Amino acid sequence: MAGHVSHKLTNSFEGALAGGGDPATSPLYVFGPFLRLIVVGGVAQITFGASIWLVVVTIAVVSAMYRLVMVWVSDGSGGSGLSEEEFGGWAVKINAAITVIEYTLTFLVSMAAMVTFIADRAPVLNEKIIGIQYRTFVAIILSVVTGWLVNRGPKTAARAFGPATAAVLLLLYAMMIATIWKYGLHLPDFNLEAFSAHNLHITFGGFTRMLAVMTGIEVFANLVAAYDGSSEVRGRKAFGSLLIIMGTTSLTMIIVGPAIFELADPHLHEVSVFTQTMDILLPAPLPYIGTFIGIAVLLSASAAASQGVQNLFLGLKDRHYIPAFLGQRNRFDVADKPVWWQIGIVSVIFLLAGTNEETYLALYAAGVFILLSMTGWAAAKRLGRSLKEKFSGGNLATLIGTILASILTTGATIVIFMERFSEGAWMYFILVPLLYAGFTYVRNRLGAPSEAQERLGQLEEAMQGGFGFGQVIGAGDEVPVTPAPVDVQAIPARPWQKQVTPPTHVLVPLDGSSFAEQALVTAKTLAQAYKAKLTLATVVPQGWVKSLPMTDEDKQNLDKNLQGKLDYLDGIAEKLSAEGLDVQTRLRAGTVAETLNNLAVEEGIDLAVITTHGRSGFGRWLTGSVAHRIIQLMTCPMLVVRPVEEAKVVVPTFRRILVTLDGSEFAERVLPFVKASVPFGSEVILLGIPEIPEAEEFGAVVEEIQSLRLEAEAKSRSYLEGVAASLKSDGVPARVLVTGSRPAETIVSVMEAENVDVLMMATHGRGGLDRLFMGSTAERIIQHTSRPVFLLPIHERRAAT
């Protein structure tokens, strides 16, 4: 097979640049809130060093814990994957709920810190207009621009934000060198008085404010899947990336931190403490260059948060935790809807709460530490199990270190929630259960995904950390997959293999328009082929019959209108009867969709032929929205016809039929109706759309996804060949086509390319909340094709109430 050039990460430094943007930016904004707390508390000299060293120790023990995660979980799902393995499915939903919130907060904090950097050089942005700071409008505008760039795909985002992480690392090392050069190396003091009863709350309060430096640590566990080499090699390289970034952050805190403490004025709100220190330490024009670097890297962190939302929602979609439309890819092959939702929420929050990063920092850290705590206790659980199986001093020491990391992260989480509960932390107790309930609802409605879909979802979630910009996960050689031989007998016996159901009674709804009447051409063709009975129906508003009291003039007008509709139906029926067809008419009062469904149930209708638009003549009830309501509600099979200009109306031939199958008995229920196409001598195309997308849709070539795709194609082709063989044995010519990945787009494309006469598919016929949350592939297809679509709704056949 042809090989591909690998675009995977080759070394730890590449990984640091690819995934380290978020944690590398943290020293730019965490010192301000930290210093304001301890200075206002009047104990800065006592608690400063203790808080800094607590953070460094936490970074060390949590990093060591993640070394274990990188060994155990090499598919890139990181702490999320470990939590799922140890705690079960509930952990996935909790993890996903908090991660959705965290990406929004990451965007908020990064964008707020960025406009702070801009305002450091342009103080006028702190002024207000209509009670809102100018910087707020700058933040919203840049948020929209960032979302637009991210939604144009990773290549565009890479060109815009790629070099930022390397630049900020250079800036941090420049600050460390300048600090040592000018003031020598003075590490923070560790004063035990900081832990006295009087000072302890300030010490831990400062500690929690500085913990935002760890918010990006999970990304390095996600990066494991992005490297070349064996699982062990990939884990070692990812850990090396973590050490580069978290080591740089820790060194900045203990080397530059004391300089910031001594040189900056935390009460000077117009200029951030990092910018103040940068202006003193670095010679001109380096401080201004540093500001531009800060702006670029914080924009990059915001963009990475949006990219993370994209990939997270793609993974949740494939694992059936969210409706498919939320993970739908745009023309740049990224999920744009979650990003625009994120930008909208962020913009509203900026308008309501302002753009001070301190407002969001504690909340930002809180969610991260819930996730870190879950990862820590999951790791401790696994280590404890291993220790029982095989005791060793090394394993015991590792377990103790992991428990320490879990206690530190859990303790930090408790402190944050206690401190900031009334300032917004309470939202977690509302948002997380709501999102959890939403994930559960969708999963229950859609059912569990296949093993391949589950694996795909995990891979896409593995990319959620935003492997950075300019870095692509790549593949080696293609993996050949040989399709299994077709074995018709291997397909379980199902009703469609014996049952043939030609229609005997066809319903045609009419509203008096020429567009609606185009259904008659198709209905007549079917009635003649199957010797079926036709029922022509018109529905009038309920109020026409029940409007009381009525004047004599009202009654006369009502009689004229009703008589006019009856005459209209009878006129069409007379013409069709003259052609030898069995025709009856029905005039009913009520709401259109419900009344037609009730009529179909009462009359024993086998098939309804409808057009999607009336839009002319009297009534105008058969509009697009009403037609879609009919499609959702009708319990009998439907043939939906898109109207065309009158001169272009042609008699349908049904010579080529497209049928979509996914291997489920649900989809196969359309096959008896396919068999009934024998009178037309139809050729049937069985379309299989693999549940695994093509690797190129990820904006990267991913080896494992490529392998899964080939396996899915082979499985689909083998299954469809078996169905085709069964249809051929019943005299229905059939061939197989396996292509695409996005159902609606693929089906419409194949319909045009193959010049099919009709599409036949089963549909859930969802309405209400299900339609809102699940969307409808059938409706999207109908909106984008001019060809007839046969829909077989799968729900109980009953009258509407």
Side-chain angles (χ1 to χ4, degrees):
M1 301 292 289
H4 290 280
V5 176
S6 174
H7 294 288
K8 285 192 174 183
L9 299 170
T10 57
N11 58 62
S12 295
F13 185 68
E14 283 186 3
L17 296 183
D22 187 14
T25 63
S26 54
L28 305 184
Y29 54 77
V30 295
F31 281 101
F34 168 53
L35 290 179
R36 275 190 284 278
L37 172 72
I38 62 176
V39 170
V40 170
V43 292
Q45 294 291 345
I46 298 172
T47 64
F48 174 82
S51 296
I52 292 287
W53 284 113
L54 273 177
V55 172
V56 172
V57 169
T58 304
I59 290 174
V61 295
V62 172
S63 296
M65 177 187 76
Y66 266 96
R67 181 68 185 101
L68 295 173
V69 176
M70 292 169 183
V71 171
W72 291 332
V73 185
S74 61
D75 64 1
S77 58
S80 172
L82 180 63
S83 296
E84 180 179 9
E85 288 179 15
E86 296 300 324
F87 299 132
W90 68 266
V92 177
K93 290 180 274 190
I94 291 288
N95 226 301
I98 294 175
T99 303
V100 170
I101 298 169
E102 280 307 293
Y103 278 135
T104 303
L105 288 170
T106 300
F107 196 104
L108 274 168
V109 170
S110 300
M111 192 62 66
M114 185 213 62
V115 294
T116 294
F117 259 65
I118 296 175
D120 285 348
R121 303 305 182 191
V124 69
L125 294 179
N126 294 315
E127 301 297 327
K128 294 183 178 181
I129 181 173
I130 58 172
I132 301 173
Q133 289 181 310
Y134 288 107
R135 58 189 282 169
T136 300
F137 298 108
V138 172
I140 292 173
I141 292 169
L142 289 175
S143 297
V144 172
V145 170
T146 301
W148 179 79
L149 286 169
V150 169
N151 280 336
R152 292 182 69 82
K155 289 184 179 179
T156 300
R159 286 192 288 266
F161 305 113
T165 302
V168 80
L169 287 176
L170 289 174
L171 174 62
L172 294 180
Y173 278 105
M175 290 286 284
M176 285 186 266
I177 292 169
T179 298
I180 296 172
W181 181 267
K182 284 193 172 185
Y183 300 101
L185 179 60
H186 300 286
L187 301 181
D189 294 329
F190 188 81
N191 193 331
L192 291 177
E193 235 185 288
F195 299 96
S196 66
H198 178 70
N199 298 323
L200 188 61
H201 71 287
I202 298 291
T203 302
F204 277 102
F207 167 64
T208 57
R209 279 161 176 76
M210 294 293 285
L211 282 177
V213 299
M214 294 183 60
T215 53
I217 197 168
E218 169 76 14
V219 71
F220 298 105
N222 299 145
L223 277 171
V224 174
Y227 291 93
D228 275 322
S230 65
S231 297
E232 182 182 349
V233 170
R234 296 201 308 269
R236 186 172 63 249
K237 290 178 179 178
F239 186 63
S241 299
L242 181 151
L243 291 180
I244 291 170
I245 296 296
M246 302 313 296
T248 300
T249 300
S250 299
L251 287 173
T252 301
M253 294 179 68
I254 61 177
I255 294 174
V256 182
I260 293 176
F261 177 62
E262 293 295 334
L263 300 175
D265 179 4
H267 298 295
L268 183 60
H269 294 284
E270 291 77 13
V271 183
S272 67
V273 296
F274 193 90
T275 296
Q276 292 179 50
T277 308
M278 189 166 56
D279 287 345
I280 295 170
L281 288 177
L282 300 179
L286 291 184
Y288 287 90
I289 294 174
T291 296
F292 283 115
I293 290 173
I295 292 169
V297 77
L298 288 165
L299 269 175
S300 173
S302 295
S306 290
Q307 192 187 42
V309 164
Q310 288 177 338
N311 292 322
L312 175 64
F313 272 65
L314 287 171
L316 292 175
K317 176 203 70 176
D318 289 320
R319 300 177 77 180
H320 290 187
Y321 285 121
I322 61 169
F325 76 90
L326 285 178
Q328 189 177 351
R329 296 173 185 265
N330 64 10
R331 63 192 181 95
F332 297 104
D333 282 329
V334 294
D336 57 344
K337 291 182 181 66
V339 173
W340 290 125
W341 275 98
Q342 181 188 56
I343 302 301
I345 292 169
V346 164
S347 299
V348 170
I349 293 174
F350 279 150
L351 288 170
L352 295 177
T355 56
N356 187 344
E357 64 270 22
E358 187 173 354
T359 306
Y360 313 107
L361 267 178
L363 300 180
Y364 179 40
V368 169
F369 274 81
I370 296 173
L371 299 180
L372 292 179
S373 300
M374 288 176 64
T375 301
W377 293 118
K381 182 180 177 184
R382 177 172 289 196
L383 282 168
R385 192 168 60 248
S386 299
L387 197 63
K388 286 182 182 179
E389 295 170 358
K390 183 179 180 181
F391 181 85
S392 72
N395 285 346
L396 178 61
T398 304
L399 175 60
I400 292 171
T402 303
I403 291 174
L404 175 60
S406 304
I407 291 172
L408 282 171
T409 53
T410 303
T413 306
I414 293 170
V415 171
I416 291 171
F417 274 93
M418 289 177 62
E419 268 202 350
R420 295 299 180 96
F421 185 83
S422 61
E423 297 176 25
W426 56 267
M427 290 189 296
Y428 281 95
F429 294 96
I430 295 176
L431 294 177
V432 172
L434 281 175
L435 288 167
Y436 186 97
F439 296 149
T440 302
Y441 173 81
V442 174
R443 181 71 171 236
N444 290 341
R445 298 301 295 168
L446 295 181
S450 68
E451 184 178 340
Q453 282 178 306
E454 185 80 16
R455 180 74 191 117
L456 173 66
Q458 291 172 349
L459 287 169
E460 291 193 298
E461 285 184 49
M463 298 167 69
Q464 66 175 286
F467 288 149
F469 298 103
Q471 182 59 52
V472 182
I473 307 173
D477 291 341
E478 292 181 357
V479 181
V481 177
T482 304
V486 177
D487 181 5
V488 180
Q489 300 303 318
I491 301 175
R494 289 173 177 168
W496 69 264
Q497 291 175 304
K498 295 180 181 179
Q499 187 178 5
V500 178
T501 312
T504 60
H505 197 168
V506 178
L507 172 68
V508 184
L510 299 171
D511 69 351
S513 71
S514 59
F515 278 147
E517 289 173 11
Q518 290 184 26
L520 290 169
V521 179
T522 301
K524 185 173 71 171
T525 301
L526 293 169
Q528 290 171 334
Y530 297 115
K531 301 187 179 349
K533 182 178 182 178
L534 282 178
T535 291
L536 312 180
T538 287
V539 180
V540 298
Q542 187 74 47
W544 280 29
V545 178
K546 292 186 177 180
S547 292
L548 295 173
M550 286 191 292
T551 65
D552 291 340
E553 185 179 355
D554 289 337
K555 292 177 181 178
Q556 289 177 359
N557 290 333
L558 178 60
D559 290 341
K560 288 178 182 177
N561 284 326
L562 289 174
Q563 190 59 51
K565 288 179 172 29
L566 287 170
D567 292 343
Y568 166 74
L569 290 175
D570 289 342
I572 295 176
E574 187 176 343
K575 291 178 183 177
L576 293 173
S577 297
E579 297 181 45
L581 295 173
D582 183 4
V583 187
Q584 67 178 15
T585 62
R586 294 289 183 265
L587 180 65
R588 294 292 177 91
T591 54
V592 177
E594 289 79 0
T595 303
L596 288 174
N597 184 61
N598 291 344
L599 176 63
V601 173
E602 293 166 13
E603 296 282 349
I605 298 295
D606 299 309
L607 177 68
V609 182
I610 68 171
T611 56
T612 53
H613 293 81
R615 299 198 184 282
S616 64
F618 59 80
R620 296 191 179 184
W621 55 259
L622 199 58
T623 61
S625 59
V626 174
H628 287 163
R629 176 65 177 158
I630 295 172
I631 291 168
Q632 295 159 27
L633 193 64
M634 289 288 277
T635 53
C636 70
M638 290 166 284
L639 185 61
V640 183
V641 180
R642 284 288 295 272
V644 296
E645 294 177 15
E646 197 165 346
K648 296 181 180 179
V649 177
V650 295
V651 177
T653 61
F654 302 115
R655 300 290 296 177
R656 184 169 291 173
I657 298 174
L658 180 67
V659 181
T660 60
L661 295 175
D662 60 7
S664 69
E665 187 171 355
F666 169 86
E668 289 171 0
R669 295 186 187 187
V670 77
L671 289 172
F673 299 89
V674 175
K675 286 186 175 185
S677 67
V678 171
F680 295 98
S682 305
E683 177 197 23
V684 175
I685 303 171
L686 300 176
L687 173 63
I689 304 172
E691 59 194 7
I692 305 300
E694 295 168 315
E696 287 76 8
E697 294 192 14
F698 289 79
V701 181
V702 185
E703 183 176 1
E704 190 162 0
I705 293 173
Q706 196 175 36
S707 176
L708 286 172
R709 169 72 183 193
L710 291 170
E711 289 179 18
E713 287 179 351
K715 181 180 178 181
S716 178
R717 187 175 298 280
S718 178
Y719 159 73
L720 291 175
E721 291 287 0
V723 176
S726 179
L727 288 174
K728 289 173 185 176
S729 68
D730 287 328
V732 180
R735 61 184 171 93
V736 169
L737 178 61
V738 178
T739 187
S741 59
R742 287 173 277 184
E745 292 88 337
T746 299
I747 291 168
V748 171
S749 176
V750 171
M751 289 173 75
E752 296 302 317
E754 296 286 345
N755 193 28
V756 302
D757 297 301
V758 65
L759 165 70
M760 301 184 73
M761 63 185 296
T763 175
H764 285 283
R766 295 187 177 103
L769 276 179
D770 275 356
R771 182 182 179 224
L772 175 64
F773 286 113
M774 308 302 164
S776 170
T777 298
E779 287 188 26
R780 289 199 296 273
I781 292 169
I782 291 168
Q783 289 168 4
H784 292 92
T785 184
S786 60
R787 300 172 188 272
V789 178
F790 175 91
L791 301 176
L792 177 63
I794 306 300
H795 41 35
E796 184 182 353
R797 185 85 189 264
R798 64 183 180 184
T801 56

